[in-house]
Amino acid sequence: MEVFDAAELWSREQLEQTQLTRLRSTVAQARKCAFYRERLDAAGISSGSLHSLDDLRRIPFTTKQDLRSQYPTGLLCVPRSQIIRMHCSSGTTGSPVAICHTQNDINAWGDLMARCMYMVGVRRDDVFQNMSGYGLFTGGLGIHYGAERLGCMTIPAGAGNSRRQIKLARDFGTTVAHILPSYALILGEHLRQRGEDPRTFPLRIALVGAEPYTEEFRRRIEGLFEMKAYNSYGLSEMNGPGVAFECLAQDGMHIWEDAYIAEIVDPESGQPVPEGEVGELVMTCLCRQGMPILRYRTRDLTRFLPGTCACGRQHRRMDRILGRADDMFIIKGVNIYPMQIEQVIMTFGEVGQNYLILLENDGIGDVMRVQIEIRDEIFVEDMRALQNLQKAIAQRLRDEILITPRVELVQSNSLERGEGKAVRVRDMRNKK
Ligand code: ADP
Ligand code: ZN
């Protein structure tokens, strides 16, 4: 197998040995800031007291709140003069956190990203168009550097503006794109409306991530453009993209264990969940000097996949992200994740590219409405056909989530959509 980095082929033993060595040096590095020094002292931890990987569990968690409390530079572990870049999280769930990188950090991140892209077949002859927002968001420069590292001709197109995306891709023959899942369908629809078949688009590979999406959604993106779409996972606190990535087998994302230690814990107790069960992903970075972060509670829910991957890599795989713990909403006593809804509605061929879940209170109780965009050719059908579709979707949703939402079919492009990550739920229950 051709790989970008020999570490991809390491055995479990090699990986775990390296993890322990790097964990020790990361702990030593983290102790250079007062925050971690105090935390680690209180827990009685120094780099010398870590004898095996199990000792990782003695290290206290770091939460998003911790990072916010240390904003902007409380967690710096090198002199300010060694920092060459900073990034912020998107702030999807509150005020953003800032992460500062040294030159080494940036190089290591670029290498990880290049490794991911190479793994799915991206080569120097490819033309790579980054349709993700630039600026502070790590999906911009993070992936950009990976693509350049591979030697691809890299087009920093930025987010949105479908007309320009299409022109650039056609003019330069873009073969690989980085794209938000929610935007991929919108771009395809834009092409169709111009009378162009998205399958004639030159794309052959898409790197798709930054927000949750279901397998059904992926298959749609692939079918629409007749290309392969690979799931890409990362978060700013752990650099950004390049943390875990699907290989050609498309059967879970390999977590790069030479650069990270992943754990999955019960979100309530913080204890490890039984192997293969869903819990909260906790990540430790092993290759960062500027701002090392130990046992970070990502709030992302997933599970480790059992067994080894068909590709032969021994780096553990995780399942697609079910959602963030914060995405869960409770209605009529039932816990629901938006992805459960997406999974159902995207199996209907009549459904278009966007949907929105609205939670309201009608004075009597909580009401859940699901607005679903329907493909244009379906929308012109007679009332009865639409009503039947509406009923069928509501029925299937009931089977999945045990309550019956109000399903509303709306015209394509009628739901509002910004350029960033899709907002799937609008909770208006406590707003008057
Ligand atoms: P924010 O947490 O403010 O959105 P980031 O831009 O750092 O900040 O985004 C990281 C988050 O995006 C992850 O914690 C996760 O919730 C989500 N995410 C990233 N990649 C994926 C993916 N492939 N599937 C699902 N969610 C993802
Ligand atoms: Zn694999």
Side-chain angles (χ1 to χ4, degrees):
M1 181 168 41
E2 258 183 59
V3 292
F4 181 79
D5 194 321
E8 287 171 64
L9 299 179
W10 284 356
S11 65
R12 289 299 319 162
E13 207 182 7
Q14 271 172 304
L15 283 171
E16 284 164 20
Q17 253 167 24
T18 304
Q19 283 187 321
L20 182 58
T21 320
R22 292 188 177 167
L23 178 63
R24 286 188 185 128
S25 51
T26 299
V27 163
Q29 182 67 8
R31 290 181 63 89
K32 292 182 183 163
C33 73
F35 173 85
Y36 271 125
R37 197 164 48 244
E38 284 161 22
R39 275 264 168 114
L40 293 168
D41 279 345
I45 290 163
S46 63
S47 58
S49 68
L50 298 166
H51 303 296
S52 77
L53 280 178
D54 287 337
D55 286 336
L56 173 72
R57 279 197 233 143
R58 293 175 32 225
I59 300 177
F61 292 121
T62 305
T63 63
K64 195 152 208 145
Q65 201 42 50
D66 291 330
L67 300 190
R68 284 182 181 143
S69 75
Q70 297 304 309
Y71 180 89
T73 51
L75 291 175
L76 261 196
C77 291
V78 296
R80 229 292 290 123
S81 57
Q82 285 184 29
I83 295 299
I84 62 152
R85 174 110 61 86
M86 63 80 69
H87 277 285
C88 280
S89 66
S90 312
T92 308
T93 58
S95 62
V97 304
I99 305 292
C100 299
H101 302 274
T102 64
Q103 183 68 61
N104 277 342
D105 294 341
I106 291 294
N107 294 350
W109 180 18
D111 282 347
L112 278 175
M113 203 48 240
R115 178 199 294 194
C116 297
M117 295 173 74
Y118 194 89
M119 173 166 73
V120 298
V122 182
R123 295 293 182 270
R124 62 178 316 115
D125 291 338
D126 277 302
V127 177
F128 173 72
Q129 188 164 331
N130 195 354
M131 303 188 185
S132 144
Y134 272 69
L136 295 169
F137 177 53
T138 53
L141 289 173
I143 296 205
H144 184 105
Y145 273 57
E148 284 191 353
R149 180 84 179 75
L150 283 184
C152 300
M153 173 176 164
T154 304
I155 308 177
N161 198 341
S162 299
R163 186 190 305 243
R164 193 183 54 189
Q165 300 284 6
I166 292 167
K167 179 162 168 45
L168 286 168
R170 291 241 188 257
D171 291 351
F172 292 92
T174 299
T175 50
V176 182
H178 173 224
I179 189 165
L180 281 173
S182 52
Y183 183 62
L185 291 191
I186 286 170
L187 183 69
E189 185 56 29
H190 194 93
L191 278 161
R192 277 217 282 238
Q193 277 172 358
R194 291 167 34 143
E196 296 174 44
D197 183 348
R199 288 172 304 180
T200 65
F201 220 52
L203 279 183
R204 60 183 197 93
I205 295 173
L207 325 177
V208 183
E211 62 186 14
Y213 61 115
T214 56
E215 187 61 32
E216 286 72 19
F217 210 91
R218 182 239 294 272
R219 294 298 164 208
R220 259 179 196 240
I221 298 172
E222 290 192 328
L224 186 63
F225 290 94
E226 245 174 24
M227 64 172 176
K228 285 294 199 182
Y230 296 97
N231 201 357
S232 156
Y233 173 82
L235 63 166
S236 311
E237 294 83 349
M238 293 290 128
N239 294 342
V243 173
F245 213 88
E246 267 180 348
C247 65
L248 293 172
Q250 290 187 316
D251 185 17
M253 295 179 276
H254 287 286
I255 303 163
W256 297 125
E257 290 182 285
D258 53 318
Y260 300 96
I261 300 180
E263 303 165 79
I264 294 182
V265 304
D266 180 322
E268 300 297 322
S269 70
Q271 292 303 312
V273 296
E275 188 67 29
E277 277 184 26
V278 171
E280 178 181 349
L281 184 68
V282 172
M283 297 294 293
T284 299
C285 55
L286 299 175
C287 300
R288 217 161 60 193
Q289 296 167 345
M291 270 196 188
I293 296 182
L294 305 170
R295 299 194 83 201
Y296 181 63
R297 300 280 300 248
T298 66
R299 311 285 289 144
D300 290 328
L301 300 171
T302 185
R303 62 186 183 111
F304 286 129
L305 293 179
T308 42
C309 185
C311 78
R313 289 178 184 81
Q314 304 286 311
H315 298 252
R316 282 181 120 177
R317 289 166 304 150
M318 65 181 209
D319 205 350
R320 20 177 21 93
I321 303 284
L322 179 67
R324 305 181 193 231
D326 322 77
D327 288 342
M328 189 195 76
F329 56 88
I330 301 178
I331 192 150
K332 296 188 201 302
V334 184
N335 298 359
I336 300 171
Y337 285 95
M339 286 305 112
Q340 290 177 275
I341 309 233
E342 177 177 305
Q343 195 191 339
V344 169
I345 62 184
M346 286 297 158
T347 57
F348 286 85
E350 297 90 340
V351 167
Q353 67 272 18
N354 206 352
Y355 66 94
L356 179 65
I357 301 162
L358 293 160
L359 307 176
E360 291 161 338
N361 191 299
D362 64 0
I364 304 167
D366 287 349
V367 181
M368 172 176 163
R369 281 159 61 199
V370 187
Q371 298 184 321
I372 304 172
E373 287 187 5
I374 296 299
R375 301 215 328 262
D376 287 338
E377 56 277 30
I378 306 293
F379 210 79
V380 296
E381 285 194 18
D382 68 46
M383 204 57 173
R384 185 172 321 183
L386 289 177
Q387 275 170 354
N388 284 340
L389 175 61
Q390 203 163 3
K391 267 197 214 137
I393 297 177
Q395 184 65 48
R396 286 277 307 284
L397 282 171
R398 208 208 119 75
D399 294 344
E400 170 69 26
I401 58 176
L402 309 174
I403 61 165
T404 315
R406 284 187 203 161
V407 171
E408 297 169 9
L409 306 181
V410 301
Q411 218 162 345
S412 77
N413 290 324
S414 63
L415 296 176
E416 204 189 312
R417 193 190 180 286
E419 281 188 354
K421 303 188 184 199
V423 177
R424 298 305 193 189
V425 182
R426 200 169 295 157
D427 192 343
M428 297 173 300
R429 286 178 291 184
N430 296 319
K431 296 187 191 117
K432 262 273 156 297

